[in-house]
Structures are given as C-alpha cells and as structure tokens.
C-alpha cells in the first residue's frame, strides 16, 4: 500500500481514467443501473479491498451469515458503507432497504462489534425515518470512484442530515463516477459533481427523476431501464412513481414492454445491439462492446 490516493497511482502509471474517457465520448448514462431489489448495508471501518467483503477482516462465520441473508432475498446485494466522522463512535450501524414500489422501506440496526452480526437478522431492524444517499468512493475497485466520489460525498454531506449520506463500496458503473444511489427507491445517477448535486437532491426529494444524470432504477433490467427512460422522455412524466412497468413480452428477438403513465398505457419495442468499443474500468486490459438498447414505439 502506498498511502496515496488511488487516482495518483493511476496517473503515475500513465493510465487514463475510464470516467474521463466516457465523458469525452459522451457515452449514454441510460440503462446502466445495477439490478438490485434488496440492499444490505454494513458500516465497515476497516480498509476496503477490491472485493470488499472477501477482503475484509470479518470472520468467516460473519461473512457466511451475511451472505446467507442476502441469498434469501430477491435480487439482494451486500455493500459496505462508511462515514469518516463516525470513526470514533462506539456503535456500528447496518441498514436494509427494499426498492420495489409498494414495498419501499429502510430499516436500521445498531450493533457494537462485528461478531454481533452472526446473531442479527438485518431485515428486522427498526424503521428509519429518512432516505439514504449512497456515493461510491471505492478507490480500490476503481480510482475514478475515489477521485470523483469523495468530493461528491462531501457536497452531499454539507447538504443533508448526517445519517442520510454515506460512502459506499462498488455499486457498478465505475466509468460514470461520481455515482449516486438514492434509497429506498433504488434510483441511480451518474456523473454527479458538486455543481449538479444540489439540483439532483432537490428533484429527488420532491419525488422527481433528474433525467440528465439518470442511469436507471435498480428494480429493472437494463432493457427495461432503457424503455422506461424512453417513455419518460416522450410522455414528460418525471415523477419517480409516474411510470410503472406492466408487462414484458418476447417475440422474434425483440422485447415488447407496456408501461402505465399518466392514466395511459405506453407500449414500446426494445432491441439489443452490440455497442461501441469502450473501456469499462480503469484496469480493463482490453476494450469491450456492452449491449445497447434501441427503443421505439411498439
């Protein structure tokens, strides 16, 4: 370990940052949110390795217990969270959040030592009376997350109540840093910085999606995220719950999706194509072609 910020080591090695390349190429943000319905967030104050859980100092029994809980949840994901101002606090905290409409909630559990997690059901925590805003700062996974995430976290910390904003381990889409996830709704935003953070927060707290930085909603697959954005742009409905998926059909290699929005039904067609060659992360050894989703009226 060098003790230096991760992005400095990246510069020293002569590598370009994947987030800078993505910006320069104007890579679309749409349809890039990780697929997650249920979130398990553990405050972990040790070093975050590239693979946060397996590289942590948690005992094998604690790791197994946490993984078992996540495996029992539909589309569950375990992540580490932290706040620098809490390093000296005697208690630790864990959150669980559910993101599907009609089921959205955040619960909170306090504990004293990591071994206590062996006996805790994270889903049985006390209801939290606030949302969560998670900023990826996981520099060991990708230097862009630290380079852009830490300043974004500081901006949110200055705007929100202390318990609302947290740093989080890898949430997907390193090249879209700074990345922000809003819970419980599971709304992803990318390329958020100090100048745009306030406006995005205002929109989200008012129950609206900020489309310019919108990556998608975690309760949907990438294809559905692309279709949902298409419907939002054409209908003008930007309320988080204004657009709801009603059904998906497959025919001749295409997907046909029906959404309810504004009292009407909107049917769209989604076709998958190979995207442009891009660098997915700072550590990528080769370029890849992620799928892109072409949406048209159905």
């Amino acid at each position: 370990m060098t003790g230096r910020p991760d992005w400095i080591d990246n510069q020293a090695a002569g590598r370009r940052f994947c987030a800078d390349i993505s910006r320069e190429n104007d890579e679309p943000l749409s349809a890039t949110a990780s697929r997650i319905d249920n979130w398990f967030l553990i405050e972990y104050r040790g070093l975050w390795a590239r693979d946060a859980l397996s590289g942590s100092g948690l005992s094998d029994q604690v790791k197994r217990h946490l993984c078992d809980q996540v495996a029992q949840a539909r589309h569950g994901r375990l992540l580490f969270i932290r706040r620098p101002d809490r390093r000296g606090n005697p208690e630790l905290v864990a959150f669980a959040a559910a993101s599907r409409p009609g089921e959205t909630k955040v619960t909170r559990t306090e504990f004293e030592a990591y071994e206590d997690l062996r006996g805790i059901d994270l889903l049985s925590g006390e209801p939290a009376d606030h949302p969560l805003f998670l900023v990826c700062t996981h520099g060991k996974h990708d230097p862009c997350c630290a380079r852009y995430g830490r300043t974004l976290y500081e901006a949110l910390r200055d705007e929100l109540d202390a318990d609302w904003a947290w740093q989080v381990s890898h949430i997907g889409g390193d090249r879209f840093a700074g990345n922000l996830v809003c819970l419980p709704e599971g709304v992803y935003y990318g390329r958020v910085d100090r100048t745009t953070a306030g406006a995005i927060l205002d929109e989200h707290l008012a129950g609206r999606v900020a489309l310019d930085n919108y990556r998608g909603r975690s309760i949907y697959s990438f294809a559905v995220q692309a279709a949902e954005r298409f419907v939002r742009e054409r209908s003008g409905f930007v309320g988080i719950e204004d657009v709801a998926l009603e059904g998906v059909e497959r025919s001749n290699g295409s997907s046909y999706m029906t959404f309810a929005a504004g009292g009407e039904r909107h049917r769209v067609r989604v076709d998958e194509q190979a995207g442009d060659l891009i660098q997915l992360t700072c550590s990528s050894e080769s370029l890849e072609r992620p799928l892109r989703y072409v949406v048209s009226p159905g």
Side-chain angles (χ1 to χ4, degrees), residues 24-201:
E24 291 170 7
N25 293 335
D26 199 23
E27 182 184 354
L29 292 170
S30 177
T32 62
S34 298
R35 179 71 180 88
I36 306 171
D37 287 352
N38 293 284
W39 308 73
F40 299 84
L41 310 171
I42 307 296
E43 182 181 10
Y44 185 72
R45 297 174 186 168
L47 294 176
W48 292 0
R50 177 175 174 79
D51 187 314
L53 179 62
S54 65
S56 72
L58 300 179
S59 69
D60 291 342
Q61 293 85 354
V62 169
K63 292 176 183 176
R64 185 160 51 248
H65 178 69
L66 293 174
C67 288
D68 287 346
Q69 288 195 59
V70 175
Q72 294 172 24
R74 174 184 170 87
H75 294 293
R77 178 74 64 86
L78 176 71
L79 298 166
F80 284 169
I81 57 173
R82 64 187 175 197
R83 278 189 10 223
D85 63 298
R86 284 179 53 86
R87 287 174 183 150
N89 281 29
E91 81 282 349
L92 295 154
V93 66
F95 294 98
S99 291
R100 296 199 67 80
E103 304 172 11
T104 55
K105 64 179 180 179
V106 177
T107 62
R108 175 190 178 102
T109 301
E110 292 189 357
F111 58 101
E112 294 182 356
Y114 291 117
E115 283 303 306
D116 295 344
L117 290 169
R118 296 173 61 180
I120 292 176
D121 177 2
L122 296 175
L123 296 176
S124 64
E126 294 295 321
D129 60 356
H130 59 81
L132 295 174
F133 295 90
L134 309 179
V135 178
C136 183
T137 59
H138 196 169
K140 292 300 180 186
H141 194 278
D142 192 285
C144 285
C145 297
R147 186 183 188 215
Y148 291 106
R150 289 173 186 166
T151 56
L152 171 57
Y153 168 75
E154 291 168 0
L156 297 190
R157 178 198 61 196
D158 294 342
E159 294 282 341
L160 297 168
D161 290 347
D163 279 349
W164 292 26
W166 294 80
Q167 298 182 22
V168 69
S169 57
H170 177 62
I171 56 174
D174 308 335
R175 65 192 186 278
F176 304 122
N179 283 304
L180 169 65
V181 175
C182 308
L183 296 180
E185 298 88 354
V187 174
Y188 269 66
Y189 292 106
R191 298 193 189 122
V192 187
D193 55 27
R194 283 186 175 276
T195 62
T196 56
I200 291 172
L201 283 180

Side-chain angles (χ1 to χ4, degrees), residues 232-255:
R232 288 185 181 279
E233 290 177 338
R234 287 176 66 91
S235 68
F237 290 105
V238 294
I240 294 173
E241 305 298 349
D242 281 354
V243 179
L245 178 68
E246 291 196 331
V248 179
E249 302 172 5
R250 294 280 299 178
S251 178
N252 298 321
S254 298
S255 295

